[in-house]
Amino acid sequence: MSLLFDEESNKLIRKYMKEYEHIHNRFVLISKLIPKYKPNQLSNYWNNYLDPRLCLDPLTEDEKIYIIEHVQSNRRINGLINWKLVVNGLKVKFGKLRSENRVRNFWNSKLKSDLRKAKRQERNSRHRNRTVESVRPNLSLQPKPCLKDIIYNQQNLSILPIMEPYVTFNFNTPIKMNPVF
């Protein structure tokens, strides 16, 4: 529950929603009667917490499976999910009205959990696939540098050009100043 809404406000909202439930702009009317809340705050609070039709029990396994299947099969091309359709499908199939927040929170927590599991499995599989040789290289097979190579490298270091950034200034273009307030 939100700290913004107290029990007295909840009673008033329930009372006014019962009175104005058939009116299209009911949240605007209620916000005029309870001026400390904006219409979108009232709508969000009603649809996610106060609506008496909401089932506030935890999601069942069947509902979770339905959400996963519905989202995977009905996701839009751009990846967006229409949560209203998911909620309506849950209501039709299971006879329980769930809030969009609850359904969305379940889906997002499942995605995070799956991502963590995948990373953990990848890390474990990389760790298992390592051999002793890949962890500890065989130094006897690597060529040892000889004195001639070391001297040659030191002599040729002075020949290499020094690379510095090349910067040019164009004084013909005006500089636009942004005011600081």
Side-chain angles (χ1 to χ4, degrees):
M1 293 294 261
S2 173
L3 298 175
L4 181 64
F5 293 87
D6 56 355
E7 195 55 43
E8 183 182 330
S9 298
N10 290 352
K11 288 178 185 176
L12 284 173
I13 294 169
R14 284 186 186 111
K15 174 186 164 195
Y16 291 136
M17 279 302 293
K18 204 178 266 189
E19 190 175 326
Y20 299 122
E21 69 183 336
H22 60 282
I23 298 175
H24 176 70
N25 61 346
R26 59 187 169 266
F27 297 112
V28 175
L29 291 172
I30 296 171
S31 71
K32 289 177 182 173
L33 296 170
I34 311 173
K36 69 179 183 178
Y37 302 119
K38 295 178 184 174
N40 61 340
Q41 290 174 313
L42 292 167
S43 172
N44 184 35
Y45 193 63
W46 177 259
N47 291 323
N48 289 307
Y49 301 103
L50 279 185
D51 191 348
R53 299 172 299 162
L54 280 177
C55 178
L56 300 176
D57 298 334
L59 292 168
T60 64
E61 288 302 315
D62 292 337
E63 288 173 321
K64 291 177 182 179
I65 292 168
Y66 176 81
I67 293 169
I68 294 166
E69 290 173 353
H70 191 279
V71 167
Q72 289 174 344
S73 63
N74 295 321
R75 181 176 276 187
R76 294 182 191 159
I77 294 171
N78 57 3
L80 295 177
I81 301 163
N82 188 341
W83 294 110
K84 286 193 185 297
L85 289 177
V86 179
V87 169
N88 286 337
L90 282 170
K91 185 178 178 183
V92 168
K93 186 165 184 173
F94 298 100
K96 298 177 185 175
L97 179 63
R98 300 292 188 164
S99 72
E100 282 185 40
N101 276 2
R102 182 173 294 244
V103 175
R104 193 180 317 119
N105 288 344
F106 162 74
W107 176 254
N108 288 332
S109 67
K110 182 194 175 324
L111 282 182
K112 275 188 177 179
S113 173
D114 290 350
L115 184 63
R116 280 193 301 265
K117 285 178 187 174
K119 283 182 179 179
R120 194 178 310 121
Q121 286 176 350
E122 181 183 334
R123 207 174 333 126
N124 290 341
S125 68
R126 272 190 276 137
H127 183 69
R128 274 190 228 112
N129 292 338
R130 284 188 189 167
T131 61
V132 175
E133 294 170 6
S134 66
V135 174
R136 225 178 294 138
N138 190 351
L139 297 176
S140 64
L141 298 177
Q142 294 178 353
K144 295 178 181 175
C146 63
L147 185 60
K148 185 174 109 179
D149 292 335
I150 295 171
I151 293 171
Y152 177 77
N153 287 340
Q154 288 177 350
Q155 289 173 349
N156 288 338
L157 284 178
S158 61
I159 299 171
L160 294 174
I162 298 172
M163 300 298 288
E164 292 184 10
Y166 181 72
V167 180
T168 59
F169 295 101
N170 189 353
F171 294 105
N172 295 331
T173 58
I175 299 172
K176 185 176 181 182
M177 302 294 286
N178 293 327
V180 178
F181 294 101

